[in-house]
Amino acid sequence: MSSQIPTQPATAAEYLPLAFGFALHQIGATVSSLGILDAVAERPRTAEQLIELTGAHPRSLRRLLYAAVKAGVLFQDADGYRATPVSEQFGPLSDMHANPAVWRAWEVLEESVRTGRSAFDIANGAPLFEHFKNDPKLAATFHAAMTGGSDVQSPAIVKHFDFTRFRHAVDVGGGRGTLLAAVLGANSGLRGTVFDTANGVVETAGVLAEAGLDDRCDITVGSFFESVPAGGDVYLLKNILHDWNDEESIRILGNIREVLPEGGRVVVFTSVLSEGESTDEDPGDALGAAISDIEMLVMTTGRERTLAEYEQLFAGAGLRLTAATPLPCPYLYHALEAAPIAS
């Protein structure tokens, strides 16, 4: 049964987030980048204290604080300004979206839709990951934002996916090693390898050392478009394939297939778009997955996919889907497990 279209005029609460979502984002992002959220997380701060702390123009900062309260980013009482649950959503991911190169990309979404090209490439003259070479600030912000996502996803992965079957996990595109540190910390019999580009593993050794995992996890530098390290019996791809188109994704999976032992597994952790009309999915999660799909159009050559589309990717690389496990974290997140197809 199809849902009915509302007939009543939209209220301000309904249309303002859609029509002025960009403004709401920038209000929160600016409160974050000025250091206000860090300051009020410690204790309530008055406007005068925040003016002194930030060195911002007094009247302009007061106007920003007023808007931030109305937007739900801050709470104000007799003691001053405090953080709200919404303010926790602002941080590295918000900083990344406030970056000028990213804003330029969203400006040309229409051209991206008309041509099929990445909006980031159109707007900035280079694909996102190539752009990082000349924009280390954005690269650092991007990797910090990905770590923020891991803080939510990793606990669910560790709790709901069985790693006890394996002896050596290779995290392909593993970045700072946050996921693998969590996995190894919960599975004492498992060893690991973080595999990523030199740019991606700048902070990985420190993360592993802090977790006390130096002796159980190594770091290998390279490109998953060329090869991946041998020796693992489970290869992890968390939020990787949605960055790349089908041809590129099959190439990544194919390189894993080349080194995957007979009993080995590839596990893709990703959002999975629903097929057709679904009545049992959370509307917020469904919207989040849809927004993520458009963000992939803007930022990368990739996209979010349905389960059937992932099955096609696996098949193209000589793999077959063996399990699809929903995970209790936002945006229709799943663990997709694939095994090698017998030659």
Side-chain angles (χ1 to χ4, degrees), residues 95-338:
D95 293 342
M96 184 188 78
H97 287 128
N99 184 281
V102 176
W103 272 75
R104 286 194 296 269
W106 279 93
E107 287 176 358
V108 296
L109 174 59
E110 180 182 345
E111 185 175 351
S112 182
V113 172
R114 289 184 181 278
T115 65
R117 291 180 57 201
S118 159
F120 192 95
D121 193 353
I122 294 169
N124 296 287
L128 176 66
F129 298 107
E130 287 295 318
H131 180 87
F132 284 166
K133 296 175 182 178
N134 298 314
D135 192 344
K137 181 179 179 181
L138 178 56
T141 303
F142 173 85
H143 289 297
M146 296 307 100
T147 297
S150 291
D151 291 342
V152 175
Q153 295 160 350
S154 294
I157 290 170
V158 169
K159 184 176 181 180
H160 295 277
F161 187 82
D162 179 19
F163 287 94
T164 61
R165 300 170 285 160
F166 306 109
R167 59 174 182 78
H168 193 123
V170 180
D171 192 358
V172 179
R176 296 179 73 244
T178 309
L179 170 63
L180 202 50
V183 169
L184 296 182
N187 295 272
S188 59
L190 191 65
R191 298 187 61 84
T193 298
V194 177
F195 177 66
D196 210 328
T197 62
N199 182 53
V201 299
V202 170
E203 300 179 4
T204 309
V207 171
L208 297 176
E210 185 175 351
L213 296 170
D214 323 54
D215 59 338
R216 289 172 52 207
C217 189
D218 55 69
I219 301 168
T220 302
V221 174
S223 167
F224 47 47
F225 287 119
E226 298 174 1
S227 65
V228 299
D233 58 345
V234 61
Y235 286 77
L236 313 179
L237 288 161
K238 186 173 80 69
N239 304 340
I240 299 296
L241 295 185
H242 72 172
D243 287 338
W244 307 99
N245 64 31
D246 289 357
E247 181 181 354
E248 292 163 330
S249 295
I250 290 173
R251 185 174 176 184
I252 295 167
L253 290 168
N255 285 335
I256 296 175
R257 176 65 182 90
E258 286 188 7
V259 299
L260 192 66
E262 182 178 348
R265 294 291 185 270
V266 179
V267 186
V268 175
F269 298 106
T270 186
S271 293
V272 176
L273 298 179
S274 56
E275 300 183 65
E277 185 176 350
S278 176
T279 58
D280 58 355
E281 65 186 14
D282 179 87
D285 281 344
L287 177 59
I291 290 173
S292 180
D293 186 37
I294 297 301
E295 180 160 46
M296 294 305 104
L297 176 63
V298 170
M299 299 289 285
T300 73
T301 62
R303 60 192 176 102
E304 303 294 358
R305 297 175 172 90
T306 65
L307 190 60
E309 289 169 333
Y310 271 110
E311 287 184 291
Q312 292 175 356
L313 288 187
F314 290 138
L319 300 163
R320 60 182 176 84
L321 179 70
T322 58
T325 306
L327 297 175
C329 46
Y331 310 149
L332 310 181
Y333 211 64
H334 286 65
L336 307 181
E337 184 174 344

Side-chain angles (χ1 to χ4, degrees), residues 37-56:
L37 293 184
D38 289 337
V40 300
E42 299 171 359
R43 62 179 186 276
R45 305 275 188 163
T46 66
E48 289 74 17
Q49 290 171 329
L50 292 173
I51 290 168
E52 181 179 357
L53 176 71
T54 62

Side-chain angles (χ1 to χ4, degrees), residues 3-26:
S3 57
Q4 288 188 330
I5 299 174
T7 57
Q8 295 297 320
T11 65
E14 291 171 329
Y15 76 76
L16 283 174
L18 182 60
F20 291 94
F22 68 96
L24 294 171
H25 172 265
Q26 283 298 80

